[in-house]
Amino acid sequence: MRAQNQLLTFCDYPGEVEATNNGSERKLRPCVIQRKVTNGYRAM
Protein backbone atom coordinates (compact mmCIF):
# COMPACT_ATOMS: atom_id res chain seq x y z
CA MET A 1 0.00 0.00 0.00
CA ARG A 2 1.46 3.37 -1.03
CA ALA A 3 0.08 5.38 1.91
CA GLN A 4 0.62 2.78 4.61
CA ASN A 5 2.93 5.08 6.61
CA GLN A 6 0.20 7.77 6.60
CA LEU A 7 -2.66 5.48 7.57
CA LEU A 8 -2.67 6.28 11.29
CA THR A 9 -1.44 9.89 11.14
CA PHE A 10 -4.42 10.99 13.23
CA CYS A 11 -3.00 8.91 16.12
CA ASP A 12 0.30 10.79 15.98
CA TYR A 13 -1.41 14.20 15.97
CA PRO A 14 -4.54 13.93 18.14
CA GLY A 15 -6.95 16.81 17.59
CA GLU A 16 -5.00 18.18 14.63
CA VAL A 17 -5.84 15.56 12.00
CA GLU A 18 -9.29 14.02 11.60
CA ALA A 19 -9.65 10.25 11.40
CA THR A 20 -12.00 10.60 8.41
CA ASN A 21 -12.23 12.80 5.34
CA ASN A 22 -15.79 13.90 6.14
CA GLY A 23 -14.78 17.57 6.35
CA SER A 24 -13.35 17.48 2.84
CA GLU A 25 -16.37 15.60 1.53
CA ARG A 26 -18.74 18.19 3.03
CA LYS A 27 -16.81 21.05 1.42
CA LEU A 28 -17.02 19.40 -2.02
CA ARG A 29 -20.73 18.55 -1.78
CA PRO A 30 -22.13 21.91 -3.04
CA CYS A 31 -19.93 21.65 -6.15
CA VAL A 32 -21.12 18.12 -6.86
CA ILE A 33 -24.77 19.08 -6.42
CA GLN A 34 -24.34 22.07 -8.76
CA ARG A 35 -22.69 19.88 -11.39
CA LYS A 36 -25.50 17.32 -11.18
CA VAL A 37 -28.27 19.95 -11.33
CA THR A 38 -26.78 21.68 -14.35
CA ASN A 39 -25.64 18.47 -16.08
CA GLY A 40 -22.11 19.83 -16.14
CA TYR A 41 -23.12 22.99 -18.04
CA ARG A 42 -20.39 25.63 -18.17
CA ALA A 43 -21.14 29.18 -19.28
CA MET A 44 -18.55 31.07 -21.25
Side-chain angles (χ1 to χ4, degrees):
M1 185 178 350
R2 293 186 302 193
Q4 188 171 7
N5 63 339
Q6 299 171 357
L7 188 60
L8 299 175
T9 301
F10 67 95
C11 291
D12 295 334
Y13 302 95
E16 294 182 39
V17 179
E18 292 185 37
T20 66
N21 68 343
N22 286 341
S24 299
E25 294 286 341
R26 276 189 235 111
K27 288 179 183 176
L28 284 174
R29 186 122 180 99
C31 297
V32 173
I33 298 296
Q34 179 68 24
R35 187 185 70 220
K36 287 182 177 183
V37 168
T38 62
N39 293 319
Y41 174 76
R42 293 184 186 188
M44 294 190 123

